[in-house]
Amino acid sequence: MNKYDYFTKLSAHPFYNIDFAEIETMTKKYDHVNYGQNEFKTRIYKDVHLNNDKNSKNTFKYIDQFVNDVVQTMDTINGMKIHFEENATYNEFIEVLNIFNERNVEIYTLDNNTMYFVGRDWDPNTKESEIDNEDLIFYQCSGGYFGGVDETESKFISFINSFKNQFNQNKIIYSAYIIFFLITIASIFIRNKKLPK
């Protein structure tokens, strides 16, 4: 099974694409909500081009270093435009998302063939809250009254959902385990049946 990469761990990147035209529309429609457009407008951008050529490896190193510097220094001035040229590949797009994921980037969007990276939404004027979110009690409304969320039930549902996702991603492996188990049980049953009494 290792030979055919059945144990390869699959992953997914959360990526929501909203272009600037849609941001402007939403901002005009709901003027009290900031959709992050200020972050994209105020940055000084460095341009990088990906075109599936011999320079791609060095370009990815540069992107990774730049992204790391912006995130680590909480930079609110600089950003990066990553242009996917005509010969750019899907793998290059995924590699950019991998870099963002590894560096815990929060704010980036794809507009046409250009990825805009601004890092995180750091507000230098606000201090970190002293309240730990894990210490807060959250309430949900159900059945006409407010009640605390049952933590045990929540963990059980989370476990079941996680198990379903694991099974769906590895159907072949789990099917092989089930078949192997059934064959083993059947062989033990047949062997015991044939033994003289």
Side-chain angles (χ1 to χ4, degrees), residues 94-108:
I94 293 300
E95 183 61 31
V96 169
L97 291 182
N98 280 336
I99 291 170
F100 290 169
N101 185 53
E102 289 171 7
R103 301 300 180 188
N104 298 318
V105 173
E106 293 175 351
I107 304 177
Y108 55 92

Side-chain angles (χ1 to χ4, degrees), residues 66-182:
F66 183 87
V67 168
N68 185 51
D69 290 346
V70 168
V71 170
Q72 294 300 321
T73 60
M74 301 182 183
D75 190 339
T76 58
I77 297 170
N78 296 300
M80 178 179 278
K81 291 181 186 177
I82 303 168
H83 303 280
F84 296 97
E85 302 295 338
E86 187 176 343
N87 293 325
T89 63
Y90 180 69
N91 285 340
E92 289 179 315
F93 176 73
I94 293 300
E95 183 61 31
V96 169
L97 291 182
N98 280 336
I99 291 170
F100 290 169
N101 185 53
E102 289 171 7
R103 301 300 180 188
N104 298 318
V105 173
E106 293 175 351
I107 304 177
Y108 55 92
T109 192
L110 184 69
D111 189 58
N112 295 319
N113 290 334
T114 302
M115 181 78 78
Y116 287 76
F117 156 75
V118 296
R120 291 192 179 187
D121 188 9
W122 300 110
D123 187 352
N125 297 323
T126 59
K127 294 182 179 178
E128 293 273 337
S129 173
E130 295 179 4
I131 301 174
D132 187 0
N133 287 340
E134 293 182 6
D135 294 335
L136 297 176
I137 300 171
F138 294 94
Y139 292 94
Q140 68 179 7
C141 180
S142 61
Y145 68 94
F146 287 94
V149 176
D150 185 357
E151 195 172 318
T152 307
E153 182 181 342
S154 175
K155 286 182 180 178
F156 179 73
I157 291 171
S158 176
F159 170 76
I160 294 297
N161 289 336
S162 174
F163 181 76
K164 285 180 184 177
N165 289 337
Q166 289 273 339
F167 183 81
N168 286 334
Q169 290 177 0
N170 301 305
K171 286 180 184 175
I172 295 174
I173 295 171
Y174 289 117
S175 298
Y177 286 148
I178 292 168
I179 291 169
F180 179 72
F181 176 74
L182 292 175

